[in-house]
């Protein structure tokens, strides 16, 4: 039997692992990732589906550990191609359902399972085990296969005083350890962090302090899926007699789903419609909003830049950014903080104030899990390579020998035998799919490279009318540039370019060249060196030849 | 008399402040900034020179606090326009000189001054006061003007056990405080950080541990200007019998300058030429390199990705990244760490190991300076708005009243009167200049916006041959795209676009439209909605009309 991580290894996001035995194949999670600065214009990134397509008829189901985009975001794209049941807890499926509706997918086979329940399908026996995380309804997956027991932690932390629900089921983890875990696929996100991650309750204490001290309006930005944090804001509002307004598309949607499914206790009487905000005195209001990552179009950024339709912020007001910037978002978050402060607002943010705690286990929690589960093999998952390595270092400090720890990359394939031996065999395809605009998904590196050149150097277009018989230039060539250099500042650049192209075409005509490909190459070459010398830039040069 | 901060406020970098009294004008520092992700293709960013140009004949000199790019990088651009003396300490001017040589500027009037010296020019009396920072030869500037004494901290920290030179001259600061400081322009970079920044010596202890434990080659990446840190690497190498190789253009240059000027003690006998690295056994070598910020083209990134010409790294080797990522560089640094670990190297980095300490004062150091200088006014400088604000909070906690603290933005103008009163008067122009390619400097926002659109949406070009008499289309239009969507993946998009443009032109011809501007607008409009509907993207559309 084979286990194939198809995403989430050596990178953040798009977590997905295939477990493939004789009786069929199951996926654990199916997430997406957000593009980095090297993928201009890309909306989102999906795992490579090639392996799934090759074995499509063997897919028996998808198991979801929790409702975050990096674990469930690929579901609509998967279900467009593959028909298979999806198993998850109530909130997880609630979020997936809302996503599927956006995509117009109505016939999905969603099967709700609670933590503690066992169920079987396709030759697998599955058990969901409760864990704590920054979203309710998070579970680990215990998967009994033909060769042994696998445990996937999903994203987890150990919170013995959770806001809602039960603490992580350490007893069940211990029992699984006694039963014998063949391989453990453990969350590595925080494996560089020593100690324990504090309980979510810490944030509630800070919120209470803020609510006690602030006279004006309070705005709290958080991840829209962080229902526990939202609950704590509601509790603070209740205690300090403030009403709650919710803004930001995903925040409005998630609050609604969580209320409907009973995960969020927010009475109607406490809620204010966005449009009525202006009517509520500042000291009686808290606004829950998106934008904790400094996303330019999110509500908080618009409030900060003074372009929000209904919400303003001023000197008596306070803003709590109840989240940590995800790597890559630091500048955007900082810009938001600066702009809010320019408006005179007090801004509370991490790490200056404890307004955020992580949802991922730190080293001591990782040790606890490894000690309870006592796995024969460890596969660190969810994280960049450095995080996987540090999870491995922690495991080795606990005495797990190096040869039983597999630090892998996406597409690596592990073979497990019935005698309990595991080894790496040849990889499967593991590129990525990008979603660029609505429905189109492609992996074309060429388009990305073109965009990068266009972004950094701009474009320079030459239109030359050529006598199709003689190859001679007719009239003067035209040049047009976009994103290159400011034409005003570029002294004589247009005239110089026309001169260069004319000279090139006189030369090619005298050599009787009528092969347009060759003409274009010569124009490109001559113009590249002229422009590089004059501007130190190398725009994309596009010679267009019009036969007359 | 007026003080005008022209850069460095509400942003990182390009620090420059003009002090303008009846007798003339002096600049304190003249730095550059590096572009952020919203300025694709831009090489660097300079302060706005408009105010300087308006008062060019009054410029009496430039005072440099230290040799970092964000304080001296604009000097070559300034000296191309303005002829004025430049005052600085030996290393500062050594670095400036090397920069000027690159620009072919040979006749600069560089005047070396030591910490503790007083000098006068243009009606100003100046004193350089020794401070500690992450580069030798850093000073604060005490500037006696017609209305009173101004103190500019430059970048500073309090290091009572510095690696080289003297601790910050707290005695002199106290004496200035007794004399009476009218306004203090203080470094705010670390004003969000409580406590004290540790001494640079802490890093030496970590380096010693690393050198003790590692068997293979050791590679240390650092800022090229951090001569103290480089000295500590040399000391560790000496103690553990390793030779030192230096790689990376700026590292090679700065090591050479610092050795020539006596700031770095690195004997010839310890140095290995880059080309001889392969001949030195791994355990006898340490490589000093650039790339601590994950810059894709720097030596460390190339070592990490296996593309460096002479240096490889493997399982027995260790890499120390002796720097903290500057905001915006986190992903690049992380990529470098991941790649080095993929090669099996041990990687030591902050904050996991104390291989870096900041060069900027934290809150307790800021309190110390404020207490010694007892300024009438505080102007927090060097930092984003949030940092300026936190410096102000600290000052208010020390009892400086709010109305004596000026949190400003670039281009704000403070007027000081001889009675010691200060107030804000109208701003001066304070955009920025960008350097885009070699010599061209412009501020064109249009070019930046074009690049962003090209980067995210790509370009779509239509070439239509039009009968100049009738306005009718001749033949079929051609379409070409770059950076848009993968043509293979875009089912029928080319044919559809040709169809849309043909239809548009039939319509315009039937309406006898021969105004090409209008033709182009109609093509652009029809094609935009067609492409947006089919691909959800809005490429830049460039209709080209060729008269036949």
């Amino acid at each position: 039997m084979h286990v194939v991580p198809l995403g989430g290894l050596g990178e953040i996001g798009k977590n997905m692992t295939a477990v493939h035995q004789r009786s069929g194949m199951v996926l654990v999670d199916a997430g997406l990732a957000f593009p980095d600065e090297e993928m201009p214009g890309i909306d989102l990134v999906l795992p490579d589906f090639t392996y799934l397509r090759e074995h499509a008829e063997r897919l028996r189901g998808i198991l979801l550990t929790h409702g975050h985009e990096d674990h469930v975001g690929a579901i609509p794209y998967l279900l467009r191609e593959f028909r298979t049941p999806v198993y998850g807890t109530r909130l997880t499926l609630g979020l997936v359902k809302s996503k599927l509706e956006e995509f117009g997918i109505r016939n999905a086979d969603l099967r709700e399972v609670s933590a503690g329940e066992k169920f079987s399908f396709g030759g697998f026996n599955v058990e969901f085990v409760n864990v704590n995380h920054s979203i309710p309804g998070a579970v680990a997956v215990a998967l009994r296969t033909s060769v042994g027991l696998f445990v996937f932690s999903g994203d987890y932390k150990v919170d013995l005083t959770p806001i809602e629900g039960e603490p992580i089921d350490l007893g069940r983890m211990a029992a699984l350890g006694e039963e014998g875990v063949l391989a453990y696929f453990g969350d590595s996100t925080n494996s560089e962090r020593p100690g324990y991650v504090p309980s979510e309750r810490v944030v509630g204490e800070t919120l209470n302090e803020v609510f006690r001290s602030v006279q004006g309006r309070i705005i709290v930005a958080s991840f829209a899926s962080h229902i526990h944090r939202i609950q704590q804001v509601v509790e603070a509002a209740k205690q300090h007699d403030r009403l709650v307004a919710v803004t930001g598309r995903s925040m409005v949607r998630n609050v609604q789903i969580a209320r409907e499914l009973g995960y969020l206790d927010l009475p109607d009487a406490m809620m204010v419609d966005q449009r009525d905000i202006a009517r509520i005195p500042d000291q009686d209001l808290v606004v829950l909003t998106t934008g904790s990552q400094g996303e330019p179009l999110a509500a908080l950024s618009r409030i900060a830049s003074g372009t929000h339709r209904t919400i303003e912020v001023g000197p008596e007001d306070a803003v709590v950014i109840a989240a940590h910037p995800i790597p890559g978002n630091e500048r955007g978050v900082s810009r938001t903080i600066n702009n809010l402060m320019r408006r005179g607002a007090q801004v509370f943010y991490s790490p200056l104030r404890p307004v955020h705690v992580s949802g991922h286990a730190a080293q001591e929690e990782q040790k606890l899990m490894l000690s309870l589960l006592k796995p024969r093999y460890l596969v660190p998952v969810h994280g960049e390579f450095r995080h996987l390595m540090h999870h491995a270092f922690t495991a080795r400090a606990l005495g797990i020998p190096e040869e039983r720890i597999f630090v892998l990359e996406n597409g690596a394939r592990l073979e497990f035998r019935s005698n309990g031996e595991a080894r790496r065999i040849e990889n499967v395809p593991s590129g990525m799919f990008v979603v660029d605009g609505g429905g189109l998904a492609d992996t074309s590196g060429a388009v990305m490279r073109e965009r990068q050149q266009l972004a950094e150097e701009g474009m320079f277009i030459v239109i030359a009318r050529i006598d199709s018989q003689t190859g001679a230039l007719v009239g003067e060539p035209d040049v047009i540039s976009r994103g290159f250099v400011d034409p005003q500042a570029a002294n004589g650049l247009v005239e110089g370019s026309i001169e260069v192209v004319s000279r090139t075409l006189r030369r090619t005509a005298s050599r009787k060249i009528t092969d347009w490909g060759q003409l274009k190459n010569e124009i490109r070459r001559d113009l590249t060196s002229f422009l590089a010398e004059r501007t130190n830039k190398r725009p994309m040069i596009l010679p267009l030849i019009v036969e007359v």
Side-chain angles (χ1 to χ4, degrees), chain A:
Chain A
M1 80 143 269
H2 298 160
V3 179
V4 188
L6 292 163
L9 263 58
E11 62 177 4
I12 304 288
K14 68 179 176 77
N15 297 287
M16 181 164 91
T17 303
V19 181
H20 198 166
Q21 65 182 6
R22 201 153 292 158
S23 67
M25 179 168 68
V26 62
L27 287 184
V28 181
D29 286 330
L32 57 75
F34 294 99
D36 65 22
E37 67 280 14
E38 293 185 357
M39 302 179 193
I42 294 301
D43 301 315
L44 39 93
V45 181
L46 300 175
D48 192 326
F49 290 175
T50 311
Y51 180 78
L52 302 184
R53 286 186 190 126
E54 285 169 0
H55 303 281
E57 80 294 344
R58 303 181 52 72
L59 186 58
R60 302 286 175 260
I62 305 173
L63 300 166
L64 299 179
T65 59
H66 63 285
H68 279 152
E69 291 280 23
D70 58 332
H71 289 256
V72 307
I75 290 285
Y77 300 91
L78 270 175
L79 293 189
R80 284 208 293 219
E81 280 197 49
F82 310 101
R83 174 127 191 98
T84 197
V86 178
Y87 300 85
T89 61
R90 187 150 30 113
L91 181 64
T92 305
L93 293 187
L95 293 167
V96 166
K97 210 171 148 195
S98 145
K99 208 70 175 165
L100 291 173
E101 279 164 14
E102 277 181 40
F103 280 75
I105 299 175
R106 274 166 231 292
N107 57 352
D109 180 3
L110 305 181
R111 304 189 184 179
E112 187 182 319
V113 183
S114 303
E117 269 187 70
K118 293 183 189 179
F119 54 104
S120 293
F121 67 94
F124 296 97
N125 178 272
V126 188
E127 176 180 355
F128 278 2
V129 184
N130 187 58
V131 300
N132 304 118
H133 186 45
S134 48
I135 188 170
V139 293
V141 169
L143 188 69
R144 288 185 190 79
T145 71
S146 57
V147 298
L149 172 59
F150 293 80
V151 176
F152 296 83
S153 72
D155 288 351
Y156 80 101
K157 69 184 278 194
V158 175
D159 191 341
L160 302 177
T161 57
I163 299 305
E164 165 269 4
E166 297 295 316
I168 179 171
D169 194 345
L170 296 174
R172 204 55 211 127
M173 299 294 176
L176 292 169
E178 286 308 305
E179 182 182 333
V181 174
L182 179 55
Y184 168 52
F185 297 75
D187 178 10
S188 310
T189 311
N190 255 340
S191 62
E192 292 188 349
R193 179 168 167 171
Y196 277 91
V197 169
S199 170
E200 175 66 23
R201 292 208 180 264
V202 168
V203 177
E205 291 162 22
T206 314
L207 287 173
N208 258 317
E209 281 170 38
V210 171
F211 276 65
R212 240 197 312 277
S213 70
V214 172
Q215 301 304 316
R217 188 178 278 180
I218 298 176
I219 296 172
V220 182
S222 156
F223 285 112
S225 61
H226 205 322
I227 308 300
H228 297 143
R229 192 141 311 155
I230 295 169
Q231 184 70 63
Q232 297 204 92
V233 174
V234 171
E235 296 304 322
K238 200 177 289 174
Q239 205 171 322
H240 298 271
D241 289 323
R242 285 180 185 253
L243 297 171
V244 179
V246 181
T247 182
R249 211 172 62 95
S250 59
M251 183 66 83
V252 170
R253 193 186 59 195
N254 285 10
V255 163
Q256 189 194 340
I257 294 171
R259 289 178 78 209
E260 280 170 14
L261 301 182
Y263 283 99
L264 181 64
D265 177 17
L266 170 53
D268 277 337
M270 281 185 73
M271 291 192 77
V272 180
D273 190 281
Q274 264 199 73
R275 287 159 295 187
D276 300 331
I277 286 179
R279 277 191 267 156
I280 308 295
D282 288 348
Q283 70 273 19
D284 296 339
L285 185 68
V286 55
V287 179
L288 262 169
T289 176
T290 53
S292 65
Q293 294 302 306
E295 308 92 322
L297 300 178
L300 188 63
S301 306
R302 287 186 281 127
I303 294 169
S305 62
T307 57
H308 194 280
R309 223 159 23 89
T310 52
I311 305 170
E312 286 178 4
V313 74
E316 296 301 308
D317 304 333
V319 178
V320 179
I321 301 181
H324 217 66
I326 292 171
N329 294 345
E330 291 83 356
R331 283 200 185 189
V333 173
S334 205
R335 196 175 299 132
T336 302
I337 293 171
N338 289 328
N339 286 340
L340 290 167
M341 284 189 162
R342 285 192 173 102
R343 297 182 178 276
Q346 273 195 81
V347 190
F348 299 90
Y349 49 97
S350 171
L352 302 199
R353 295 293 286 266
V355 289
H356 175 75
V357 296
S358 172
H360 296 275
Q363 286 170 1
E364 292 305 314
E365 293 157 89
Q366 292 177 338
K367 287 180 193 168
L368 182 60
M369 281 289 268
L370 288 165
S371 302
L372 292 173
L373 291 172
K374 295 177 291 188
R376 183 166 169 84
Y377 295 101
L378 166 66
V379 183
V381 294
H382 313 335
E384 298 179 47
F385 199 83
R386 56 194 270 189
H387 305 126
L388 307 182
M389 283 302 291
H390 276 93
H391 202 171
F393 297 155
T394 297
R396 284 169 63 185
L398 287 179
I400 302 183
E402 191 170 357
E403 63 274 16
R404 296 212 188 144
I405 304 171
F406 290 102
V407 176
L408 305 174
E409 306 259 11
N410 295 330
R413 177 147 53 166
L414 284 180
E415 181 184 68
F416 290 89
R417 310 243 185 115
S418 44
N419 64 1
E421 292 300 315
R423 63 183 184 115
R424 280 194 64 168
I425 58 173
E426 80 286 5
N427 283 19
V428 311
S430 65
M432 57 184 169
F433 289 172
V434 296
V435 178
D436 184 17
L440 287 174
D442 67 58
T443 52
S444 163
V447 170
M448 288 301 101
R449 281 190 299 275
E450 285 172 4
R451 286 188 192 165
Q452 283 208 321
Q453 190 185 0
L454 288 170
E456 301 201 343
E457 312 285 332
M459 177 160 231
F460 200 90
I461 299 170
V462 178
I463 307 125
R465 273 159 298 239
I466 302 276
D467 184 313
S468 58
Q469 300 303 314
T470 64
L473 179 65
V474 177
E476 230 185 23
D478 287 321
V479 302
I480 298 174
S481 75
R482 286 291 185 275
F484 176 47
V485 297
D486 190 355
Q488 263 83 51
N491 217 330
L493 206 60
V494 170
E495 298 75 7
S497 304
I498 291 174
E499 173 62 33
V500 166
V501 175
S502 304
R503 204 184 314 135
T504 306
L505 289 173
R506 278 198 299 274
R507 191 183 62 226
T508 52
S510 76
R511 282 158 54 208
K512 311 238 181 294
I513 295 170
T514 50
D515 171 352
W516 289 8
Q518 194 180 342
L519 276 191
K520 288 179 181 178
N521 283 340
E522 301 217 0
I523 291 174
R524 207 177 273 121
R525 193 195 57 202
D526 293 351
L527 207 46
T528 298
S529 46
F530 170 74
L531 294 175
E533 194 190 308
R534 290 287 296 274
T535 67
N536 220 358
K537 296 195 80 73
R538 297 175 168 277
M540 182 184 287
I541 293 176
L542 205 61
L544 304 175
I545 302 221
V546 182
E547 234 174 307
V548 291

